[in-house]
Amino acid sequence: MKELTLTNKVQTKDDKEKQSLLANAGEIPEHIAIIMDGNGRWAKKKGSIRLHGHKVGVDSVRDITEACAQLGVKYLTLYAFSTENWGRPTAEVRGLMRLLVASLRKEADNLHENDIKLVTIGQMDRFPADCQDELQEAIDLTAGNNRLQLCLALSYSGRWDITEAVKKIARHVDAGRLDPELINDQMITDHLSTANVPDPDLIIRTSGEYRISNFLLWQLAYSELYITERYWPDFRRDQLYEAIESFQQRDRRFGKIKNGEDENANNSRLHKN
Ligand code: FPP
């Protein structure tokens, strides 16, 4: 497979070894979702302005995207701007938008050359026109790619997502096309902005906050959670590997019990014998 060049750095032998050890140690999550938090605090600690934290945060995005693609992660969803983030000072919101446009302008070809598909979830129509245009261009350019799907959650919230799904389903009921008794889990899943994307296996949150902050509320039902004290600008591939290592230690039962632990099955076998 073609070498990845997102970070413009040749992958070191040491990094290749780490990735191969990780791949041999257990399952690599198919879908990783990340709450990138702590840019502001990181910048403040360095005596800098918040926007500097967001800028260095983009370097983390690049490094993590590249490492995920190399590891064979198929979906990476990044919480880049929440519905609630609109409530931040105008200067910070504008700065973030400018950063997003500049990053996309700079990275779109790079993403394309590396076979990465860019998609978004959220209320894109709330973004300034230039931002929407830049995003759309990158989305169109990379639409046919399939090594990794990079999804940016922009003006996104889990409650917004569920509300929109409910509205769509209610319209089917209203038009007489759907019996409400037929509404089930799968139908709701299929009406969310993430339809056709498997639920995240692993959700990472940086900066040591133990909350979900209105991220993929429906989709996270059985996701493994990993929280690290590191601020997002300091979260790079070695920290990603630690998160995946932790994921590989988890016992995912999806509400069921482990194979071989069904006492009743053993009993019935005893009775049969
Ligand atoms: C949270 O840190 C981070 C954000 C609200 C924005 C994250 C955005 C980026 C890293 C840039 C995204 C760019 C691309 C290309 C995807 P915070 O500001 O809430 O930090 P704090 O909790 O310390 O204040």
Side-chain angles (χ1 to χ4, degrees), residues 99-110 130 134 138:
L99 183 61
L100 186 70
V101 173
S103 309
L104 286 167
R105 200 166 284 152
K106 199 163 152 239
E107 302 297 338
D109 288 338
N110 214 352
D130 62 332
E134 206 70 49

Side-chain angles (χ1 to χ4, degrees), residues 66-84:
E66 183 178 272
C68 280
Q70 287 164 336
L71 280 167
V73 173
K74 295 307 284 180
Y75 302 89
L76 173 64
T77 302
L78 302 176
Y79 205 8
F81 194 86
S82 73
T83 311
E84 289 73 24

Side-chain angles (χ1 to χ4, degrees), residues 164-231:
E164 289 304 302
V166 169
K167 280 191 213 163
K168 286 180 210 157
I169 294 171
R171 279 186 213 114
H172 294 309
V173 174
D174 192 41
R177 290 191 297 266
L178 176 66
D179 174 356
E181 286 306 316
L182 296 178
I183 299 171
N184 59 16
D185 266 32
Q186 191 58 49
M187 190 179 293
I188 295 171
T189 299
D190 292 343
H191 284 82
L192 291 168
S193 62
T194 50
N196 302 321
V197 173
D199 289 341
D201 301 292
L202 171 64
I203 295 189
I204 298 172
R205 181 171 189 146
T206 58
S207 95
E209 308 284 4
Y210 284 70
R211 53 177 174 265
I212 289 298
S213 299
N214 215 346
F215 198 26
L216 302 161
L217 295 181
W218 176 272
Q219 298 87 335
L220 58 66
Y222 285 101
S223 303
E224 295 298 326
L225 304 180
Y226 179 86
I227 291 159
T228 166
E229 295 297 319
R230 287 231 177 193
Y231 295 138

